[in-house]
Amino acid sequence: MAKIVRLEPIAQQTSVETNGNLLSVLLNKDLDVLRECGGRGMCATCHIYVTEGMDSLSPINRREQRTLEVITSCKMNSRLACQSRVLANGVVVELPPGMYINSLKDIEVLVGRRAEQNLLHPLTGQVLVEAGKLITRSMLMQLEKSTSFNVGDYFKQSSGV
């Protein structure tokens, strides 16, 4: 039997089959979700905030917990949409503000422009460029030196290896 999920701040309701994941809800609403890890719970691109109905979702598994630990914008009500299965009605989710990027090449094409919204790291959710900031070549070079897009690098850090 289908369950109702509400998406904020876009104020839309949609249905999902019982035990369906929240990622399918986001994709069915044509929301731009990268799915950098292919829905395996190893990146931040489907990170959401559950504002109501956390107990109507499947429990957090170990992989999701490890990923949430490296997401810089993680809160107590954070979940990964790909790992969150809807078990009952009453779920309300909010999308974090900003846009996830695939690689630094996504920022490179914007050099000389101002970011319209926060540009976010796909694995950690860290703000790489704040909304309104001018994107410069020196900013890009600094990001190249300090930013990794390798999933393995973040799991090594979070496990203390």
Side-chain angles (χ1 to χ4, degrees), residues 69-125:
E69 288 171 1
V70 299
I71 297 175
T72 59
S73 58
C74 188
K75 298 179 182 177
M76 292 298 294
N77 63 336
S78 288
R79 289 295 306 263
L80 298 178
C82 68
Q83 301 297 301
S84 304
R85 301 212 171 271
V86 181
L87 306 176
N89 285 317
V91 176
V92 178
V93 300
E94 183 179 323
L95 303 172
M99 181 180 98
Y100 289 99
I101 62 164
N102 280 318
S103 70
L104 289 177
K105 290 188 186 315
D106 292 345
I107 297 176
E108 188 174 16
V109 299
L110 300 173
V111 168
R113 299 183 189 164
R114 293 196 182 276
E116 292 181 17
Q117 56 186 318
N118 287 343
L119 300 180
L120 308 173
H121 191 283
L123 303 174
T124 66

Side-chain angles (χ1 to χ4, degrees), residues 5 35 51 62 78 84 101-102 104 108 132-133 136 149:
V5 174
R35 296 176 292 165
T51 57
R62 191 168 150 216
S78 288
S84 304
I101 62 164
N102 280 318
L104 289 177
E108 188 174 16
K133 292 272 184 170
T136 63
F149 287 86

Side-chain angles (χ1 to χ4, degrees), residues 60-74:
I60 295 176
N61 63 38
R62 191 168 150 216
R63 175 178 285 169
E64 181 180 7
Q65 184 60 49
R66 286 184 63 193
T67 301
L68 289 172
E69 288 171 1
V70 299
I71 297 175
T72 59
S73 58
C74 188

Side-chain angles (χ1 to χ4, degrees), residues 1 3 12 88 92 106 108 129 136 152 158:
M1 188 169 166
K3 305 299 181 206
Q12 289 188 7
V92 178
D106 292 345
E108 188 174 16
V129 180
T136 63
S158 70

